[in-house]
Structures are given as C-alpha cells and as structure tokens.
Amino acid sequence: MKGLTSKLRIGEKIALGFGVVGLIFLGVIWHYHASLHSVLADYRRLNDVYGARQSFAFEIEQHLGGMRTAEERFLGTRDLSFVSAVEQEAAALTTAAKGLAQVDAESGESARKIEMLAGDFLERFKAIVEGWRVKGLDEDAGLQGAFRDRAHELEARAGNYNVDRPYLLLLQIRRGEKDLGLRREARYQGKVEGLVVELAAAVASSSLPAALKQELGAEIETYGATFGTYAGEVLAQQGNPAGKGPFRDAAHRIEDLLEANYVPDLEVKILQLRRREKDYLLRGDDRYVAMVQEIAAGIRAQIAGSRIADSEKAELQSLLEGYQRDFLALVEQDRLIALRTAEMYQAADRITPLAQANLAQANQVMAEMTEQIARTSAASARLNLIIAACATALGILFAYLITTMIVRPVRDMAGLLDRLTYENPTERVPTAAGGRDEINDMAISLNTMADHKATFFNWWRASMQEAISLRDLHQAGNATEQFEAAEELRTATLSKMQQINNLRGKIRRNTKQILEVADRAGQDGSAVRAEEGARLRTAAAGIDTLLDVLEED
C-alpha cells in the first residue's frame, strides 16, 4: 500500500481521495436512482396493465349502457335513428374489447367473450329491427297497417249491412198493423203511420247503398199509401180484418230487401274484434289473441248464415281471413321479437359480469401490487439509508487514511529534524524507491542530510581520534604507551577506511542511478523529463559532496 501511494503526488493523493469519496457517493446516488427507477417501472407497469384494464372495463360498461339506452329508445319510439346509435355504440364496445385483449393474456379470454356477446347483441337487435319493419314501425306500416286496412274496410262494409234499426221499426210497424186489425182503434193507425215516418228517416240516414235506399224508400211510400186505405176500411167496419192487401205485400218486399242486406250484429262484432285487437296491442297478452280468433269465427258463422248474396259473403270472408292472417302474423312477429329481445338482454347481461369481473380482478391486483410496491419502497428506502450511512463512514475512513498517509511522514520528518538539530540520530524516515510523492522526496532529502551529517560527524570523530592518537604516539614515554597509541591510531585509520568504503559504495549506487537515467534518456529520443533531471541532479550533488569529503581527507 505504501509503495503504491508513494507513486502519487500529494495533489494526486488528495484528488484520488476526493475522487474515491465522490465515486462512493455517485454509487449511492446511482443506487438511489436505480431503486427509484424500479419503483417507477412498477408503477408504470401497474398503470399500463391494470390501469388500462380498469379504463377498458369502464369504457365497455359505458358503451354497453349506451347500446341498451339506444335500444330501449328504439323499442319505445321505433325511431330508426336509434338503430345507427346502437351500431355505433356496439362498434365502440368492440374496439374497447379488442384493446382490452391486447393488455395482457389474462384479459384476452374475457375480451374475446365480450366481443362475441356484443356481436350477438347487435345481431339480435338487428333481427328485432327487422321484426318491427315486418310488423310495422307505426300503425300504418307493415302487418299492422295491413290488418288495420282490412279492419277499416270491414267496418266500412259492415255499415252496408247495418239494418238493425230499420228492421226493428219494420217489426214494430207490423205489430201495430196487427193491433189495428184486432182492436179497430184509431190510435194504432197513428202509431203505425208514425213508425213508417221513422222507418223512412232511418233508411235515409243509414249507410246502406244508395240504390237500396231508393228501393226501400219507394216500398215504404207504397206501404204508407196502401196502409191508409186499409186502416180506413178497418175503422169503418167495412174491410177484412185479416190484414191482407197491397200494404202487406209492400211490407214483405221491404222485409226481403232488409234480410238480403242483413248480417246480425256485424258492426258490433267488428267493433268487439277491434277492441280485443287493441287490447292485445296494448298489453301483449295472448289471451286476447284467442278472443280475436273466437270473435272472428263468430263473424264468419254469421256471414255464412246470413241471406246476403254469395259474392258479398265471399268478399266479407276474404277480408276477414286477410285481417285474421295479418293479425296472427303480427302476433308471430311479436313472439319472435320477444324471443330476440330476451336473447339480446341475455347477451347484454352476460357482458356486464365479464366486464365487472375483469374490473374487480384489476382492482384486486392493483391493490396487491400497490401494497407490494409500498413494502418494496419502504425496504428500498431503508437500504438507501444504510448504504448512505456506510458510504459516509467509508468516505470518512478513506479520507482518514489519505490524511494519515500524508501527515504521518510529515510528523516523522518533523521528529527527525528535531533530533537532527541536537543529536546524530541513526533512525531514518521510511521512503519508497522511485516514488513521486513530494513528501517522499522530502524524506529522501532529509535522510540524505542526516546521512551527510552522520558521515561528517563520523569522519570528524575518526579524524580527531587519529589526531589524538598521533599526539599520544609522539608524547609516549615508554613502549607500552607507544603501543596503545599505535593501536588507537590503527583503529581510527580503520574507521576512516570503513567510511571511505561506505562512501565508495554510495558513489557506485549514485553512478548506477545516473547510468540508468542516461540509458532511459538515450532510449526515449525526447527531452529528458523534469523528474528524471531532478534525480540526475540529486545523484550528481551526492557525488560532489562525497568527492569533497575525499579531498578533505
């Protein structure tokens, strides 16, 4: 670690420290944004999938409601503009179902069923519309208009056979005629003559054909004229009271004419028929259909039993059969419309549970995913806090290590300088060879200075010892003192020789460094770099110093 850090300058160490701390916090920020991106991705998926399912489910229910509303308005008004509204809502519902099918696989099956049911709904509705076209969108169209036309014609023709009032008056006239013959009282003559006037008025105001009215009017006039003669004879006690005469023949002719154009209660029966028809149209109860058929059968029997002409019977029977056929066809169309309506409602009722089930499932999954995202977000927030705390602690630790690596050598150098001022210390500040650290360079320089001081001090001490030994040798009075002085001189000389050998080794090392730098400079081909030049100058200065020492010796 020390060798690695010695390769860096102080500024590079500080920059490295800040860079590492910055990277740590960038890692924290990256982790925070990764967590945030994960949460956002979960919410995006929640919105894209289950939010879309909710949206399509609401849209399906909305268009289904629009379809049913337009369909109900058509059934209420038979306005064809609502048909296109149903088709538009059905198309929009189908589009929403196709969109739901593309959300995810879970919604695909429900969406296909909804699309199929929407098609069934529209198909049944179109069948209902066609049924109403056949039945008649209003009272003048379709089957309804057809049987109404025949019913109106029957009603109009029934007026031609409504002789109930004239026939009743004729019967009363004949009774008064008999009373006159039996009782011979003048009041019966007045009664019959009054009834004859009423009969003439009733015929004139009836809806009988004009020719028949004219013929009946002539016969009534004949009856009135001949009856007066008969009444005069009866009251004068001269005539035959048996009641025979021209007036009687005229009465028979009138009766024959009335019976030839008389179907009993035809107009009343037709009104009853129309009443039950209206009851069915109003209430849709099948029991009124049976009533219509029963009344029609009675009318058919009355027509068949009447004395009207066969051609007229055939015409009336044909009108009645046509009316009954169209009415029963309308009833059948009502049955088909009711069947298609029930099928249509069944299809619609099956769409709603599918849409609601899809919506409920989407709501449930959204709730579960929201809770899961909340738990994940809380755990991620706690993890982010732990990572931020660890990153802060790691940053502080790394800053402490960088500061320690910078401050500790400075503190060691300060201690060495302090001891170097008053002592000749033997310890040195640890350094790294080839380091680029300024503090390492300062330590090398300080160690060199300490080495130089030690060299000069040892050389000075050895020189002093040599000088003292020479002095003692010259001043020795006997052989023992001379021997001791010679030994000290030899020791001092050996010490200086050892120092010279040490200096010689340092010179070799410095020379080797110079040669290495020179070789690199020769191989580079470019200008010598500043740091290599500094090392050359340091080595050269060391050689000069050593040479100075040797020269002094």
Side-chain angles (χ1 to χ4, degrees), residues 370-392:
T370 301
E371 184 178 355
Q372 181 181 356
I373 290 172
R375 291 196 301 268
T376 304
S377 299
S380 178
R382 289 193 297 271
L383 181 60
N384 288 335
L385 289 175
I386 293 172
I387 291 175
C390 293
T392 303

Side-chain angles (χ1 to χ4, degrees), residues 5-26:
T5 56
S6 65
K7 301 292 184 181
L8 303 175
R9 297 184 183 277
I10 295 177
E12 292 173 347
K13 290 180 181 179
I14 295 174
L16 177 63
F18 281 109
V20 171
V21 173
L23 287 175
I24 291 173
F25 281 98
L26 283 176

Side-chain angles (χ1 to χ4, degrees), residues 87-106:
E87 292 175 347
Q88 291 174 0
E89 293 291 342
L93 189 148
T94 302
T95 301
K98 290 180 178 178
L100 178 63
Q102 296 176 358
V103 173
D104 59 356
E106 295 179 0

Side-chain angles (χ1 to χ4, degrees), residues 123-373:
E123 182 181 353
R124 300 297 188 276
F125 176 73
K126 288 182 178 179
I128 292 170
V129 173
E130 184 60 28
W132 272 104
R133 290 181 189 274
V134 174
K135 177 182 176 181
L137 296 173
D138 54 43
E139 64 273 10
D140 295 324
L143 294 172
Q144 190 172 191
F147 78 70
R148 286 184 76 254
D149 291 341
R150 288 184 171 82
H152 290 162
E153 189 172 356
L154 278 172
E155 290 178 356
R157 295 289 294 273
N160 297 336
Y161 304 101
N162 185 10
V163 295
D164 290 337
R165 177 64 177 168
Y167 198 82
L168 177 63
L169 292 173
L170 177 63
L171 294 177
Q172 291 177 343
I173 289 170
R174 297 304 306 277
R175 187 183 67 177
E177 169 194 319
K178 304 300 180 185
D179 289 338
L180 176 64
L182 289 173
R183 297 179 176 82
R184 299 178 185 271
E185 294 179 1
R187 62 188 181 95
Y188 291 109
Q189 180 183 1
K191 182 178 181 181
V192 170
E193 290 176 351
L195 291 172
V196 169
V197 174
E198 288 184 26
L199 176 61
V203 169
S205 62
S206 68
S207 56
L208 295 173
L212 180 60
K213 286 183 180 181
Q214 185 176 2
E215 188 176 358
L216 286 172
E219 294 295 339
I220 292 171
E221 288 180 1
T222 301
Y223 180 88
T226 56
F227 177 76
T229 304
Y230 169 72
E233 292 177 354
V234 170
L235 292 176
Q237 302 293 327
Q238 296 176 357
N240 184 4
K244 294 181 180 181
F247 69 93
R248 181 172 174 269
D249 296 334
H252 287 167
R253 288 193 298 272
I254 293 173
E255 186 174 1
D256 291 339
L257 288 172
L258 290 177
E259 287 182 353
N261 293 274
Y262 178 49
V263 179
D265 298 329
L266 178 61
E267 195 168 17
V268 174
K269 292 293 185 181
I270 291 175
L271 290 176
Q272 290 178 346
L273 187 72
R274 296 303 309 280
R275 171 192 171 189
R276 297 309 179 189
E277 163 209 318
K278 301 295 184 184
D279 287 336
Y280 170 77
L281 294 176
L282 180 64
R283 299 180 177 89
D285 193 342
D286 288 340
R287 64 194 181 101
Y288 294 112
V289 178
M291 293 180 182
V292 168
Q293 291 178 308
E294 182 181 352
I295 294 172
I299 294 174
R300 190 177 294 107
Q302 286 180 326
I303 293 173
S306 68
R307 295 174 58 185
I308 63 177
D310 292 339
S311 61
E312 293 183 4
K313 287 182 180 180
E315 290 179 3
L316 289 175
Q317 293 285 10
S318 175
L319 287 173
L320 184 61
E321 289 175 1
Y323 168 86
Q324 192 172 3
R325 181 180 62 253
D326 292 339
F327 177 74
L328 292 177
L330 180 141
V331 172
E332 178 63 18
Q333 283 299 320
D334 282 342
R335 187 188 67 79
L336 293 176
I337 289 172
L339 178 62
R340 298 293 180 267
T341 302
E343 293 174 350
M344 179 180 68
Y345 287 156
Q346 287 177 358
D349 292 340
R350 290 172 63 190
I351 292 176
T352 300
L354 287 173
Q356 290 179 348
N358 185 74
L359 179 61
Q361 184 183 15
N363 289 334
Q364 180 181 359
V365 174
M366 283 190 70
E368 293 174 354
M369 286 196 65
T370 301
E371 184 178 355
Q372 181 181 356
I373 290 172

